[in-house]
Amino acid sequence: MTELPLIGEAIAVAAEPRLAGAKIGVVTFPGTLDDRDAARAVRLAGGTAVPLWHADTNLGDVDAVVIPGGFSYGDYLRAGAIARFAPLMSKIIDAANSDAKLPVLGICNGFQILTESHLLPGSMIKNDHLKFMCRDQVLRVENSNTAWTLDYEAGQEITVPLKNQDGQYIANEKVLDALEAEGRVVFRYVGFNPNGSRRDIAGISNAAGNVVGLMPHPEHAVEAGFGPQSLDGVGSSDTDGLGFFTSVLNKIVGGSK
Amino acid sequence: MPRIVVDVMPKPEILDPQGKAIVGALPRLGFTSFSSVRQGKRFELTVDGEVTDAILAQAREAAETLLSNPVIEDVVNVEVVEA
């Protein structure tokens, strides 16, 4: 499926044809909001987006999976709690834990689903200030060796939108110490902690680095003219989120670093 | 019909932002005797017929797996209430 840019010639990068063979599944639950943006991000990065439905009982032949943001099941019970038991989730959990180490990215509500699934440790509770927050957020990439961050440099600062109400990442001190020691804190909030997350953590990975979850939204920062403008005039751009998708696509086709 | 009541509370060591907001609002209504509020959840599971030990065990398992998240919450009570 070809995707026309919304404005002129404003595709941020010339997508490499060799990436088109990589298939990234994008899961839709009842109440998911950002599945179309996530699929668009996959296409703009050069890959092929495959829509997946929560009630599906197999993953088809996808090479990676994005669990996008939104309010699956209206956030009833706890954010992500009911989605976690959807038929497709058990397949994703098995594939993520298998020797094949299916790359899985959970964004916002997708991150909440991954913690509820125990693919990632800890949990999210309501923002410490109790308000829904929507802003352009600076993040520091702490680990550039995960399946989803290979195209970044460790220490690189990126700006992507953040929008959530239950975004306060918490875990006990022992888990937090282990995450730090094992380099599994993948993203940290820079300059401002928007929700009270422990140790400014914005995103983490599993031990193998194939499963990554974060609260901010890289899929909303993939196209010039439609992402966050540079907050400080240097170092950031509208397309800082594109690297998530090019990272995994390059890894799948066997390129990149 | 009997119901099984399950009570879930945020873990004591976890800040409860909702409880904090409520304790802040109480004095505005003149309720000045309460120094802390924690907000939890109550679930009522209706059973068609008698609550057997097996059904109660199922309710306990459901409480630990779906109704609560052990990372942030404790199941503080599971009891049978006759209608």
Side-chain angles (χ1 to χ4, degrees):
Chain A
M1 176 174 161
T2 51
E3 183 88 7
L4 291 172
L6 293 171
I7 54 171
E9 303 297 318
I11 289 184
V13 293
E16 299 175 48
R18 68 190 183 93
L19 300 180
K23 293 180 183 162
I24 313 293
V26 178
V27 187
T28 301
F29 297 90
T32 297
L33 298 180
D34 297 321
D35 42 350
R36 289 174 66 95
D37 280 37
R40 185 174 171 85
V42 168
R43 288 192 286 269
L44 287 170
T48 299
V50 179
L52 297 172
W53 180 236
H54 71 110
D56 289 348
T57 50
N58 74 75
L59 283 166
D61 59 351
V62 299
D63 302 301
V65 167
V66 177
I67 305 177
F71 296 85
S72 58
Y73 297 92
D75 271 357
Y76 294 168
L77 190 56
R78 298 176 303 278
I82 298 177
R84 175 255 176 277
F85 292 102
L88 192 67
M89 277 312 300
S90 60
K91 301 293 175 188
I92 291 172
I93 293 165
D94 289 347
N97 288 328
S98 74
D99 290 342
K101 294 187 174 54
L102 181 81
V104 178
L105 176 66
I107 303 167
C108 196
N109 191 221
F111 185 15
Q112 293 158 341
I113 292 169
L114 293 181
T115 60
E116 285 284 340
S117 304
H118 309 302
L119 279 172
L120 294 173
S123 185
M124 254 68 64
I125 63 173
K126 262 187 211 324
N127 295 345
D128 57 355
H129 48 74
L130 292 172
K131 292 186 278 288
F132 188 95
M133 179 165 276
C134 182
R135 69 192 302 268
D136 294 340
Q137 177 69 48
V138 181
L139 307 177
R140 186 168 55 245
V141 181
E142 302 278 19
N143 180 343
S144 61
N145 293 315
T146 77
W148 300 90
T149 55
L150 289 166
D151 284 355
Y152 296 103
E153 300 294 333
Q156 185 177 345
E157 293 189 2
I158 62 173
T159 303
V160 298
L162 169 124
K163 45 168 197 173
N164 63 64
Q165 174 153 306
D166 294 283
Q168 181 179 175
Y169 180 74
I170 61 154
N172 67 39
E173 289 298 312
K174 200 176 148 200
V175 169
L176 293 170
D177 287 342
L179 287 172
E180 303 261 17
E182 294 164 21
R184 291 167 57 191
V185 175
V186 183
F187 303 98
R188 236 185 274 268
Y189 298 115
V190 176
F192 173 71
N193 183 333
N195 45 35
S197 288
R198 300 295 177 277
R199 303 191 191 187
D200 298 333
I201 290 173
I204 57 173
S205 75
N206 66 347
N210 60 310
V211 179
V212 170
L214 78 166
M215 285 312 292
H217 288 263
E219 83 283 17
H220 295 330
V222 293
E223 199 168 5
F226 292 93
Q229 299 296 324
S230 172
L231 294 180
D232 53 8
V234 289
S236 298
S237 83
D238 274 349
T239 58
D240 281 357
L242 202 61
F244 282 73
F245 305 94
T246 56
S247 291
V248 76
L249 292 170
N250 277 308
K251 183 179 169 65
I252 291 164
V253 301
S256 196
K257 60 184 177 184
Chain B
M1 267 183 294
R3 284 167 298 152
I4 300 172
V5 172
V6 176
D7 294 312
V8 173
M9 291 296 292
K11 280 186 186 295
E13 66 269 27
I14 288 183
L15 175 76
D16 170 18
Q18 296 178 111
K20 212 174 120 198
I22 294 165
V23 80
L26 285 171
R28 281 181 239 144
L29 299 170
F31 302 118
T32 54
S33 307
F34 310 110
S35 59
S36 161
V37 174
R38 298 185 69 76
Q39 179 183 327
K41 292 173 186 162
R42 172 187 168 107
F43 300 88
E44 298 185 351
L45 313 178
T46 303
V47 178
D48 292 331
E50 193 191 348
V51 178
T52 62
D53 285 349
I55 289 175
L56 197 55
Q58 269 186 41
R60 288 183 200 283
E61 196 186 340
E64 297 290 344
T65 52
L66 177 62
L67 304 184
S68 73
N69 177 344
V71 176
I72 50 173
E73 296 168 321
D74 291 323
V75 178
V76 294
N77 186 41
V78 179
E79 66 176 331
V80 180
V81 177
E82 295 299 331

